[in-house]
Amino acid sequence: MTDYRNNLGEHGKDTKLNLSNLFGNVETSGMTATQFYGTALSLAYSIGDQELIAAVQAEAEGKIEANVDGAAKLAATLMAMNNIYYRFVHLSSDKQFSKMPAGLRMNGMANPGVDKADFELYSLAVSALNGCGMCIDSHVGVLLKHNVSAQVIQHSIKMAAVLNAAATAKRIA
């Protein structure tokens, strides 16, 4: 992550510090390695910055199983679709759309290759990144039913905020 941080410019000073704090204190986040790196990967894939993806993959190397990377890609892909659709349903003043079946394939959610709560955490972070309130509410509800702490939920959102800020700082450097 050090090389990535070095490309954020002076305007990214706070973001550099936040990245160091996130990735330097994984064990105090309240998250397992699978939760932390799966969330970070799903966010990096969603943001689409190839250097950020490579930096997060390098940080995760040796700390997670291959299935976590696959689940992170699945969360990024499914939320790219769901967040657009459900954000529209939520924001449309015409409520007829909320009564119509989505008709979107989401079979991967039934068997994402990781623990259901972990996948929900990845999906929540991406949904926050994409600004889908309806999806955020749904994922938080599932996470709370799985006894995921508010601290872990909040941390996943901080990760979304910081990784998004990092990609923005790099893009405008």
Side-chain angles (χ1 to χ4, degrees):
M1 195 54 72
T2 301
D3 290 342
Y4 190 84
R5 284 193 323 257
N6 291 339
N7 293 323
L8 301 185
E10 185 60 29
H11 59 280
K13 185 175 182 180
D14 287 328
T15 302
K16 292 177 193 180
L17 293 171
N18 287 325
L19 279 171
S20 293
N21 188 40
L22 278 180
F23 285 90
N25 297 305
V26 174
E27 61 283 340
T28 62
S29 70
M31 301 172 110
T32 65
T34 297
Q35 290 171 333
F36 182 88
Y37 292 108
T39 300
L41 284 164
S42 66
L43 289 163
Y45 293 135
S46 294
I47 292 166
D49 178 322
Q50 294 303 312
E51 290 177 46
L52 179 60
I53 292 168
V56 173
Q57 287 172 330
E59 288 288 328
E61 190 173 335
K63 297 171 185 147
I64 58 169
E65 301 294 325
N67 63 315
V68 176
D69 187 63
K73 288 176 180 175
L74 179 63
T77 303
L78 288 177
M79 293 311 107
M81 174 182 67
N82 287 357
N83 294 159
I84 297 295
Y85 182 82
Y86 289 106
R87 186 171 57 222
F88 163 77
V89 169
H90 178 75
L91 294 174
S92 176
S93 60
D94 188 336
K95 297 306 172 192
Q96 73 174 316
F97 298 107
S98 65
K99 296 174 184 145
M100 300 170 86
L104 300 172
R105 287 186 59 115
M106 298 178 265
N107 294 342
M109 291 182 88
N111 187 15
V114 295
D115 181 78
K116 174 73 171 156
D118 293 348
F119 186 75
E120 288 288 332
L121 196 61
Y122 310 165
S123 299
L124 169 64
V126 174
S127 294
L129 178 72
N130 292 334
C132 182
M134 190 176 211
C135 294
I136 290 168
D137 286 345
S138 175
H139 296 301
V140 167
V142 172
L143 287 164
L144 292 173
K145 285 179 185 170
H146 279 87
N147 298 315
V148 175
S149 72
Q151 174 193 5
V152 167
I153 291 169
Q154 180 202 33
H155 198 78
S156 73
I157 305 308
K158 288 195 291 190
M159 292 173 71
V162 171
L163 291 174
N164 187 56
T168 299
K170 184 180 144 286
R171 190 170 49 251
I172 61 176

